[in-house]
Amino acid sequence: MKKEMIVNPWEVAGDIDYGKLVKEFGVSLISDSMKKNLNSLHPLIRRGLYFSHRDFDKWLEAKSKGKRVSVITGRGPSDKMHIGHLVPFLVAKSLQEEFDCEVFIPISDDEKFYVKKDLSFEQSIKFSEDNILDLIALGFKPGKTFIFEDFVYTDIYKYAAQVAKRMTYSTAKASFGLTPEKNIGWSFYPAMQAAHILFPQFKRGKHISVVPVAIDQDPFIRLTRDISQDFNFEKPAALHAKFLPSLLGEAKMSSSDLGNTVIYLSDSPKEVETKIKKYAFSGGRDTLEEHRKKGGNPDIDVSFQYLKFFFEPDDKKLQKIYNDYKSGKMLTSELKNILIDKINSFLKEHQKKKEIAKKQIGKFMFKQ
Ligand code: TRP
């Protein structure tokens, strides 16, 4: 039997039906013609992990007319970061490279402090500081990329207050699944995130920003769009990603539930190897003989999905892996080894850049 689907920023459960979400949320699918214009963008967009949008066509059009556009996406620092957490940031970076625009990155340490029972105030600040280094290490442009933490850049409060006055409790309750036993931080936080989403316009004046996020974050965007005209702002656009499977193959990769079945950006080569070999859900057959004869299923194979969305940007090479795995020519162990090598060379670089990021922090934190 199908489990009831629940999708809001603080709860994702049941069998996810993306078609139904598109209808319920009133968003648009990313069309093939739109994708054609985005060919040089990150595989996450080209290859469809991002599947729906709001007004992204308007954002592209504004840019093509030479108008200011920007990108805003945030991070809730509840833990050290894993590969799944990179999804919106890789796309933000790719948009910055392609369109040379400013990127704003709010860090919602307050959000995670409110919603994670066991996260102390000190820990949430510590994770912010650590996560910020990971984000800088991705290679955003200094001078065009602005990071701020809610607990440190307390100026954000004045924008959140202006937003909060325009949001009713009943709207927030319905959109975010608020229930009476929750602390009241949950009720206020949506005003903070709406202030994040409007921040580029508060600071730079009226223009279109796009918010790349997983689809569960759309309620924040919907509410923000509803109040944006009160400030004489443009409605923010959005790009929505599906949930990335964990190594085990579940819908959403969440570090709190899945412990060591995610690849942390701090993992050692040995840890990566063990996790992929032991946990990465395989589309291979039970025996070597059967695999050679009938072939594997790359479409459900988690290692293949990770190559597709993150680690093999070359379409021809990816297609060859797909064909070889499907025909049985390539074994699961071979596929996994390709992924292990790719992840480890990415992490080696990343970990070096994270060290360097410690000295670059000043260039990236929003001031004023
Ligand atoms: N709430 C987001 C998360 O938990 C993080 C976030 C904070 C965010 N501010 C944002 C995302 C603004 C998009 C836009 O992942």
Side-chain angles (χ1 to χ4, degrees):
M1 211 181 73
K2 282 209 160 186
K3 280 180 264 157
E4 192 206 347
M5 168 173 78
I6 302 173
V7 176
N8 72 56
W10 296 314
E11 190 176 9
V12 176
D15 298 307
I16 310 295
D17 177 342
Y18 290 103
K20 200 168 150 201
L21 278 182
V22 165
K23 278 208 201 104
E24 273 177 16
F25 285 4
V27 299
S28 315
L29 288 173
I30 298 176
S31 65
D32 287 340
S33 65
M34 188 185 265
K35 261 196 217 157
K36 253 187 230 147
N37 293 325
L38 303 173
N39 243 338
S40 51
L41 288 184
H42 197 275
L44 287 162
I45 293 192
R46 282 197 285 127
R47 296 184 182 150
L49 194 73
Y50 279 81
F51 73 109
S52 74
H53 75 104
R54 289 181 185 273
D55 284 349
F56 188 55
D57 42 353
K58 286 196 186 149
W59 188 93
L60 289 168
E61 193 190 322
K63 178 70 204 175
S64 74
K65 288 185 175 150
K67 293 189 186 155
R68 176 193 286 277
V69 294
S70 65
V71 179
I72 133 96
T73 188
R75 161 82 190 139
S78 53
D79 195 356
K80 43 187 189 168
M81 289 182 78
H82 60 59
I83 286 175
H85 293 144
L86 296 182
V87 168
F89 301 103
L90 293 172
V91 165
K93 186 187 161 213
S94 161
L95 290 167
Q96 182 174 61
E97 277 166 7
E98 177 83 9
F99 299 104
D100 193 33
C101 50
E102 291 187 327
V103 173
F104 294 83
I105 307 180
I107 308 292
S108 54
D109 35 20
D110 54 339
E111 173 188 19
K112 298 300 156 174
F113 175 62
Y114 293 139
V115 308
K116 301 268 165 186
K117 274 208 184 79
D118 298 328
L119 189 71
S120 72
F121 183 75
E122 290 73 22
Q123 278 171 322
S124 60
I125 300 246
K126 258 185 94 171
F127 283 134
S128 290
E129 289 166 355
D130 168 76
N131 291 184
I132 285 170
L133 296 175
D134 280 313
L135 295 172
I136 293 173
L138 294 180
F140 287 102
K141 292 185 187 168
K144 289 210 162 209
T145 308
F146 306 100
I147 304 175
F148 58 91
E149 295 170 60
D150 289 343
F151 281 147
V152 176
Y153 182 72
T154 46
D155 243 31
I156 190 68
Y157 184 72
K158 68 183 183 205
Y159 302 114
Q162 292 175 63
V163 166
K165 201 167 179 177
R166 294 171 167 85
M167 276 187 185
T168 66
Y169 179 67
S170 66
T171 309
K173 186 174 173 228
S175 304
F176 299 102
L178 301 178
T179 46
E181 77 286 358
K182 300 231 149 87
N183 67 62
I184 60 174
W186 293 64
S187 320
F188 183 72
Y189 178 73
M192 286 296 267
Q193 190 152 331
H196 294 161
I197 295 172
L198 295 177
F199 189 74
Q201 301 193 74
F202 279 121
K203 290 296 171 186
R204 304 285 190 251
K206 183 175 182 172
H207 70 274
I208 306 194
S209 294
V210 66
V211 193
V213 272
I215 185 78
D216 63 298
Q217 298 285 309
D218 187 67
F220 288 118
I221 293 165
R222 216 157 53 225
L223 258 60
T224 309
R225 286 168 61 90
D226 288 347
I227 57 168
S228 53
Q229 61 276 34
D230 286 12
F231 298 94
N232 190 28
F233 287 163
E234 295 283 356
K235 287 188 173 168
L239 279 167
H240 307 109
K242 294 183 180 176
F243 305 118
L244 189 76
S246 81
L247 295 182
L248 300 181
E250 278 98 338
K252 198 178 179 186
M253 191 169 180
S254 152
S255 37
S256 39
D257 303 337
L258 292 164
N260 65 357
T261 63
V262 296
I263 305 288
Y264 289 108
L265 300 179
S266 55
D267 278 351
S268 70
K270 193 74 213 152
E271 283 170 314
V272 170
E273 185 181 345
T274 308
K275 287 183 192 180
I276 297 294
K277 287 193 172 158
K278 199 161 165 187
Y279 297 110
F281 182 79
S282 162
R285 302 280 175 175
D286 290 341
T287 65
L288 186 108
E289 207 180 23
E290 202 190 347
H291 188 89
R292 288 281 189 224
K293 210 158 100 198
K294 297 188 186 152
N297 183 353
D299 296 312
I300 58 164
D301 187 284
V302 167
S303 301
F304 183 80
Q305 303 309 308
Y306 277 62
L307 288 173
K308 174 173 167 183
F309 292 126
F310 297 103
F311 297 110
E312 185 45 86
D314 185 318
D315 289 341
K316 281 204 190 108
K317 285 188 188 157
L318 187 76
Q319 189 63 46
K320 181 159 166 37
I321 295 172
Y322 186 93
N323 295 344
D324 287 354
Y325 194 61
K326 208 174 166 119
S327 71
K329 194 171 156 198
M330 180 181 282
L331 300 176
T332 299
S333 56
E334 293 168 322
L335 177 62
K336 287 192 171 189
N337 281 333
I338 297 176
L339 181 66
I340 291 166
D341 284 350
K342 295 257 183 195
I343 294 182
N344 280 337
S345 59
F346 167 75
L347 289 185
K348 193 173 163 205
E349 274 306 297
H350 181 82
Q351 290 162 8
K352 259 194 239 156
K353 290 183 193 151
K354 189 171 175 178
E355 271 309 305
I356 301 170
K358 290 179 183 164
K359 291 182 215 109
Q360 299 173 312
I361 258 194
K363 288 190 219 159
F364 287 93
M365 302 312 287
F366 188 82
K367 293 171 204 83
Q368 276 162 51

